[in-house]
Amino acid sequence: MSIWVRVGDFVANVASTALTSVVEAVRTTFEGDPETRRRVSFSIAMIALSAKMAKADGVVTDHEIRAFQQIFSIPESERAHVARLYNLAKQDTAGYESYAAQMASLCGSGHPNCKCLEDILDGLFHIAKADDYVHEKELAFLTRVGEIFGFDEAHFQTIAARHVNLGDADPYVVLGLRRGASFEEARRRYRQLATENHPDRLAARGVPNEFLTIANDRIAAINVAWEKIERELKAA
């Protein structure tokens, strides 16, 4: 069954208009089915947090809506349910910290730098950069969500570097490498990241197949960073 049918059925049967109540309903409704709970939780987290993040700079642009649609391939029959959740979340940014903490408890592993929560942050950055500029308020929003999700500063910078130009060290930050790393060290790191971020690994973490844009964006950024570092180290 498509994840969107699951999400649509769930949203249609939740009477409350309070976002926190929706989150708690996910926890109880799918208590005996952890795999479905992970998939539904991830989907709802991406929908609601992307709506709140897009509103962080005061306006939801057409570019951001299109970026949202690039990540979410939603069947026509389920769009009204998804729109209901998105519109509920985008009313303002109030309460996003509490909401992010609840989603971390549902989607996360409980360990620092959780890969599933990294998938959510990548999706949020994809939307934030849609208009070719990550507004300072959007970056503040993402930074705070990263803190709530349990990312240390270095790991958050690695995620951000895939989307935001951080200067000369950009490709090294993307791969989480120190300047001065050897060619063999850099290549091992690249291969590790390529394996960890293969789309099949995302599916194992509960990321629905409908969200492959996240995986494709991440792999593309990792490949570009490696190409730059490879050229630099071979020329040295």
Side-chain angles (χ1 to χ4, degrees):
M1 180 183 293
S2 166
I3 189 60
W4 294 119
V5 174
R6 291 279 193 179
V7 172
D9 288 346
F10 175 78
V11 173
N13 290 315
V14 174
S16 174
T17 58
L19 193 56
T20 53
S21 297
V22 172
V23 176
E24 190 55 37
V26 172
R27 188 188 306 277
T28 56
T29 301
F30 301 106
E31 186 174 5
D33 187 353
E35 181 177 352
T36 299
R37 187 178 73 175
R38 282 197 305 273
R39 287 162 56 84
V40 172
S41 298
F42 180 92
S43 305
I44 290 177
M46 278 301 309
I47 293 166
L49 280 176
S50 63
K52 286 182 173 294
M53 190 275 304
K55 189 67 174 176
D57 61 355
V59 61
V60 179
T61 69
D62 289 341
H63 293 295
E64 289 167 334
I65 293 172
R66 283 195 293 271
F68 178 86
Q69 292 170 341
Q70 287 171 359
I71 295 178
F72 300 91
S73 179
I74 306 167
E76 184 67 38
S77 60
E78 305 304 324
R79 289 180 183 176
H81 299 311
V82 174
R84 176 191 170 198
L85 183 60
Y86 188 86
N87 289 332
L88 174 65
K90 79 174 184 180
Q91 292 175 6
D92 56 37
T93 58
Y96 82 90
E97 292 173 312
S98 174
Y99 175 75
Q102 291 183 68
M103 296 317 301
S105 72
L106 285 177
C107 301
S109 62
H111 302 296
N113 301 319
C114 170
K115 295 296 291 185
C116 187
L117 297 178
E118 181 176 340
D119 298 329
I120 295 174
L121 270 180
D122 260 331
L124 295 176
F125 266 108
H126 177 84
I127 294 169
K129 70 180 182 183
D131 50 6
D132 298 321
Y133 172 68
V134 178
H135 191 279
E136 61 181 13
K137 290 184 178 179
E138 291 173 325
L139 186 57
F141 178 100
L142 292 164
T143 300
R144 181 61 185 135
V145 170
E147 292 172 352
I148 294 168
F149 281 1
F151 290 99
D152 58 44
E153 183 177 354
H155 198 93
F156 180 82
Q157 289 299 313
T158 294
I159 298 169
R162 294 196 283 262
H163 306 277
V164 182
N165 184 1
L166 300 179
D168 293 339
D170 193 15
Y172 285 85
V173 176
V174 170
L175 297 191
L177 276 171
R178 60 178 179 83
R179 281 279 179 179
S182 68
F183 179 83
E184 287 301 322
E185 181 182 353
R187 184 165 60 179
R188 281 196 303 271
R189 178 60 176 162
Y190 164 68
R191 289 176 174 174
Q192 175 190 356
L193 289 174
T195 299
E196 289 178 353
N197 293 289
H198 189 278
D200 289 346
R201 292 293 184 95
L202 271 72
R205 295 199 291 268
V207 179
N209 292 333
E210 292 89 341
F211 295 86
L212 287 181
T213 296
I214 296 171
N216 293 335
D217 271 7
R218 184 183 298 167
I219 287 293
I222 290 170
N223 286 339
V224 168
W226 165 242
E227 288 169 4
K228 291 179 180 178
I229 293 172
E230 183 181 32
R231 285 196 302 268
E232 177 183 318
L233 294 179
K234 282 186 174 180

